[in-house]
Amino acid sequence: MTPQREDTAAAPVLRVAVPTPVHGAFDYLPPREGPLPPPGARVRVPFGRRSLVGVVLEHTRGSALPGHRLRAVTQVLDTQPLLPPALLGLLTWAAEYYRHPVGEAVCAALPALLRQGRPAVARGPTLYRPAPEAAAALDTLGRAPAQHRLLQRLLQSPQGLTAEALRGPEGRDLRHPLAALRDKGLVIPEHPPCLPPPGAPPQTPPELNPAQEAAVQALEQALGRGYSCHLLEGVTGSGKTEVYLRIIRATLAAGRQALVLVPEIALTPQLLERFRRRLDTRIAVLHSGLADAERHCAWLCARDGTAGVIIGTRSAVFVPWRDPGVILVDEEHDPSLKQQEGFRYHARDLAVLRGHREGVPVLLGSATPALETLANADRGQYAHLRLPDRAGGARAPRLRLLDVRRQFMDEGLSEGLLGRMEHHLEAGGQVLLFLNRRGFAPAVLCHACGWVAECPRCDARLTWHAGPGRLRCHHCGHETPVPARCPQCGGPLSPRGQGTERIQQALARHFPQYSAVRIDRDSMRRKGALEAAFAQVRSGHHRILVGTQMLAKGHDFPDVTLAAILDADQGLFSPDFRAVERLAQTVIQVAGRAGRASRPGEVLIQTHQPEHPLLTLLLQSGYAAFARAALAERREAGLPPYAALALLRAEATDPEAPGAFLEAARGHLQAHAPGDVQLWGPAPAPMERRAGRHRAQLLIHAPARRPLQATLAALPGLAHLPQARRVRWSIDVDPVDLG
């Protein structure tokens, strides 16, 4: 047992956010000795039989529990707050708004090593350098061969090597010879800065066109004047990144930091390369692909101001900074900015709120803004800046529908598309093919008896991955070898439909003289693979690119002159009301990869629905016209951005339990809801069975966020429903995916 203070009545009480699924913070007494930990500092606390690292939220003078039941903090890990007051306030607000346990929300903002209680010290990996007298002493180590080899290698690398580099691919244990060399004074350990220094002198910036100049002037005027939010809507290739760079340079010149959010890791390498060429500052990078030590370093360098620029994916919205200057959100429309598991926050929305709370301007950039963002601009809440033309005089690509009805298709490639590909490749251009399905084929069936390979745990078919020879479920991860024959009748099996693997194989048949690269989650898993593939594309080694969403967003491939969407019909008939918006954004984003330099671009869209009003409106009038029509439909239907939604999900192994729980939850919430709040359902989820669990959902619809939040305030009562013991349930506020 932790010893308790005797004067508990007079002692302050610490409210601590502890990483547990229990809502609310927990009260603790301060440690018996040492300074009182400030709000935002980490402490180690007893929790049941465990010891956990939590974050102090506030000091109070009372507790709902009697003093003799309060336990004391066992260790203070930080004497200064790791999370400053403004950021701590944002996290606690977000936990309340998204109805997530505050302990999990606050502690998730910390990198893994800080969550484990490691010291908040930012330093790079130790470098070992040879001492000045090391060369002369080399001959004295003849009776210590391991030390001799180690010192000899260091003398060949006087700039120094890390312990990992010294170990080499064999992973030799060098602790003892390295320690011996240090004791003899022949090796000097050094701790270089955590982040690499700025590279070459910044390049001369290109000349701005009038629209870019106007946008830069408007944004520079906003710097240092408190909060404002700006939507930068620019056609693909219009030079939005150049505007970002000018604003960041002005921010750095004022002695402040810039925070840049991108939706996916795939966008980080190219943006980072451009920033390093143009900005004379250290840059911290934060995303899930980093090792724990790298993320720890970048987070702390952002916090102490060492990094002038912070680039990261959605979780970077919670990174502390010393000198707040400007927040930029690139591709602000992208649904990847919404966290879909656990703490279901939207990074774009929290970036805007953070800018408001910390008094800095926010810039949202996109060629295809989200309808919610456009509605805010229409209401005057955001300033609307436009870049209507491509930078450098490049012309917009020509978009054309390819009607593939009654056409011969070879693995999803029409004759018309193959002909245009040949034309562009022979002219020296590159070709980009977009298909948002990875694997070889999305289904495998037996033509003789109709057997289909289905996931035993989900209401989904297994995808054939030809490379490893496996059938995989893209929903739960289940996989199995491809059967040699039909397990039902013994007949031959055949793939149905196309994935990126199958398209790549077809391209090898049609265009054997041209190298094709596949860009998807399967082919780019190895660290550095994406950067290497993009480098080979820009060098001209790969002439054909085929891939999924990883290819569609924000990349600059100057030699791509033809872009094609192989199956535009996927998003036309979805039950999700956002599907047509996403399809329109995808079409425009993919189209934006073509013709970005001096060569004219062409975009082909294969479809069985050439008369569909969405496609014809996009091609004839562009995204702005589509957005106006879509907003009018949303207003008429009472859907976001003219309403507020929350999705209550439940799942269980028992097929009846989710519906029973949601029916009881509906009655409980309806009793506490304002009269203008509607509860739709319960209904089975679009994929009713996933990972062996049956799923159902209840949609909560309100005319605005205030009545929605009033209804959600009754959520804690759901835990006391008898049916709650039989299910796992979660709430998603402002959902972007209704599946």
Side-chain angles (χ1 to χ4, degrees):
M1 282 293 284
T2 304
Q4 306 298 319
R5 290 175 177 263
E6 296 178 2
D7 55 340
T8 54
V13 173
L14 306 182
R15 305 219 70 216
V16 179
V18 181
T20 70
V22 180
H23 285 262
F26 294 86
D27 293 347
Y28 287 90
L29 294 172
R32 285 189 174 275
E33 298 179 354
L36 199 65
R42 295 172 302 153
V43 291
R44 195 176 293 278
V45 297
F47 194 86
R49 297 184 178 181
R50 296 179 292 165
S51 175
L52 299 178
V53 174
V55 175
V56 178
L57 296 183
E58 62 177 339
H59 301 164
T60 69
R61 280 291 170 184
S63 173
L65 293 174
H68 69 276
R69 291 186 57 188
L70 293 182
R71 304 171 77 181
V73 166
T74 55
Q75 184 183 7
V76 176
L77 298 173
D78 307 304
T79 57
Q80 298 296 321
L82 270 187
L83 299 173
L87 181 55
L88 194 61
L90 176 71
L91 283 160
T92 54
W93 181 92
E96 177 67 18
Y97 179 83
Y98 292 106
R99 303 292 163 175
H100 193 76
V102 68
E104 290 187 347
V106 170
C107 295
L110 302 174
L113 297 182
L114 292 179
R115 293 199 300 270
Q116 295 167 15
R118 298 281 188 89
V121 177
R123 67 182 187 187
T126 304
L127 275 180
Y128 296 95
R129 299 179 186 271
E133 60 274 19
L138 189 62
D139 292 339
T140 67
L141 299 175
R143 303 180 68 177
Q147 295 178 39
H148 186 278
R149 285 194 303 269
L150 187 58
L151 188 57
Q152 193 170 40
R153 186 159 179 210
L154 282 171
L155 286 168
Q156 295 170 356
S157 303
Q159 75 280 3
L161 293 171
T162 64
E164 183 178 359
L166 286 168
R167 277 194 294 270
E170 302 86 2
R172 292 187 295 267
D173 186 356
L174 301 175
R175 287 175 296 177
H176 297 303
L178 193 57
L181 290 173
R182 288 179 61 181
D183 292 342
K184 294 173 181 178
L186 299 179
V187 168
I188 302 171
E190 295 183 0
H191 297 287
C194 189
L195 295 180
Q203 294 179 342
T204 302
E207 187 176 342
L208 300 178
N209 62 34
Q212 288 174 306
E213 187 68 52
V216 169
Q217 287 181 3
L219 292 164
E220 285 182 342
Q221 290 174 4
L223 294 176
R225 298 190 177 185
Y227 164 76
S228 58
C229 190
H230 306 257
L231 166 62
L232 181 64
E233 181 180 4
V235 299
T236 51
S238 60
K240 291 185 291 296
T241 304
E242 183 59 37
V243 175
Y244 299 164
L245 284 164
R246 300 295 180 101
I247 299 311
I248 293 172
R249 286 183 64 180
T251 301
L252 295 173
R256 297 190 174 275
Q257 294 169 278
L259 171 61
V260 184
L261 300 181
V262 295
E264 290 189 5
I265 299 172
L267 291 177
T268 308
Q270 183 171 298
L271 200 62
L272 184 59
E273 181 185 350
R274 290 189 66 178
F275 279 23
R276 282 179 172 158
R277 289 201 307 262
R278 294 283 301 280
L279 301 172
D280 186 18
T281 188
R282 296 181 191 270
I283 300 175
V285 180
L286 291 126
H287 57 68
S288 60
L290 298 176
D292 286 347
E294 293 175 301
R295 194 174 181 89
H296 180 84
C297 154
W299 196 93
L300 290 169
C301 286
R303 175 181 172 270
D304 66 18
T306 301
V309 176
I310 307 119
I311 302 177
T313 47
R314 58 179 174 257
S315 62
V317 74
F318 298 125
V319 172
W321 50 357
R322 189 186 66 186
D323 303 304
V326 67
I327 301 175
L328 297 90
V329 184
D330 190 32
E331 307 291 352
E332 63 81 29
H333 66 278
D334 198 296
S336 298
L337 290 166
K338 177 72 188 285
Q339 173 72 23
Q340 298 288 5
E341 299 290 338
F343 182 22
R344 293 176 169 86
Y345 63 90
H346 201 303
R348 178 200 61 214
D349 297 346
L350 290 184
V352 174
L353 181 60
R354 185 172 186 182
H356 184 270
R357 285 172 169 250
E358 300 196 23
V360 298
V362 179
L363 176 60
L364 311 176
S366 177
T368 54
L371 297 187
E372 288 84 356
T373 302
L374 286 171
N376 282 328
D378 290 345
R379 288 191 286 259
Q381 293 176 288
Y382 300 167
H384 198 163
L385 308 173
R386 294 178 173 85
L387 303 179
D389 303 309
R390 287 194 160 189
R395 289 180 289 169
R398 182 168 60 94
L399 277 71
R400 184 159 61 92
L401 292 178
L402 269 183
D403 183 358
V404 296
R405 294 175 298 183
R406 296 180 295 276
Q407 275 202 39
F408 171 74
M409 304 280 285
D410 185 7
E411 306 291 21
L413 304 171
S414 67
E415 291 181 340
L417 173 58
L418 290 169
R420 295 308 298 164
M421 288 179 65
E422 184 174 8
H423 170 80
H424 282 266
L425 291 168
E426 289 180 350
Q430 291 175 315
V431 173
L432 184 152
L433 304 179
F434 172 81
L435 179 66
N436 207 27
R437 281 195 300 262
R438 57 195 174 96
F440 185 79
V444 178
L445 62 82
C446 174
H447 186 64
C449 71
W451 177 86
V452 178
E454 295 182 339
C455 178
R457 307 174 68 218
C458 303
D459 292 334
R461 293 173 176 175
L462 295 174
T463 298
W464 184 355
H465 288 256
R470 309 284 287 179
L471 295 175
R472 290 178 181 156
C473 177
H474 289 174
H475 303 282
C476 73
H478 170 81
E479 65 174 75
T480 183
V482 180
R485 310 286 294 179
C486 173
Q488 187 164 286
C489 74
L493 296 175
S494 59
R496 286 292 185 267
Q498 288 79 35
T500 50
E501 272 188 78
R502 194 170 191 178
I503 298 298
Q504 187 180 29
Q505 287 192 13
L507 292 171
R509 285 190 289 103
H510 286 284
F511 304 103
Q513 69 275 40
Y514 300 113
S515 175
V517 63
R518 176 165 54 94
I519 308 288
D520 58 27
R521 279 170 46 199
D522 296 324
S523 62
M524 297 292 126
R525 287 185 177 182
R526 184 172 48 84
K527 187 172 183 178
L530 187 65
E531 294 91 328
F534 284 169
Q536 289 185 310
V537 169
R538 294 192 184 93
S539 71
H541 175 73
H542 295 308
R543 298 288 302 283
I544 305 174
L545 300 78
V546 56
T548 58
Q549 289 282 359
M550 295 178 76
L551 270 184
K553 306 167 183 177
H555 304 298
D556 186 10
F557 304 121
D559 292 329
V560 169
T561 55
L562 173 65
I565 296 174
L566 299 186
D567 184 4
D569 300 340
Q570 285 179 281
L572 292 177
F573 306 106
S574 169
D576 190 334
F577 70 90
R578 298 185 193 274
V580 291
E581 176 188 1
R582 289 182 189 148
L583 176 60
Q585 290 165 342
T586 297
V587 169
I588 298 301
Q589 293 286 337
V590 173
R593 302 313 112 211
R596 293 174 71 95
S598 57
R599 297 179 178 182
E602 180 181 10
V603 180
L604 299 178
I605 304 168
Q606 292 191 152
T607 178
H608 291 85
Q609 309 291 329
E611 295 90 12
H612 193 283
L614 164 65
L615 296 177
T616 55
L617 181 61
L618 267 180
L619 267 63
Q620 293 172 5
S621 305
Y623 184 79
F626 158 77
R628 286 195 298 271
L631 281 170
E633 289 181 1
R634 296 271 188 94
R635 187 189 294 272
E636 189 69 23
L639 292 171
Y642 306 107
L645 299 178
L647 193 62
L648 182 62
R649 296 182 173 99
E651 59 178 49
T653 53
D654 178 358
E656 305 299 326
F661 165 75
L662 290 176
E663 196 63 57
R666 175 191 172 100
H668 174 80
L669 294 174
Q670 195 75 70
H672 294 82
D676 50 1
V677 173
Q678 298 177 319
L679 285 82
W680 298 340
M687 181 180 291
E688 187 172 356
R689 188 169 58 98
R690 183 171 180 174
R693 302 181 71 85
H694 298 266
R695 309 188 309 148
Q697 54 196 41
L698 177 71
L699 190 63
I700 307 167
H701 175 280
R705 288 190 169 94
R706 189 181 297 274
L708 178 68
Q709 287 292 325
T711 305
L712 298 181
L715 282 174
L718 300 186
H720 304 296
L721 296 174
Q723 298 86 346
R725 293 193 294 270
R726 301 172 57 204
V727 301
R728 291 198 307 229
W729 62 272
S730 63
I731 189 71
D732 188 355
V733 181
D734 300 335
V736 299
D737 183 357
L738 298 184

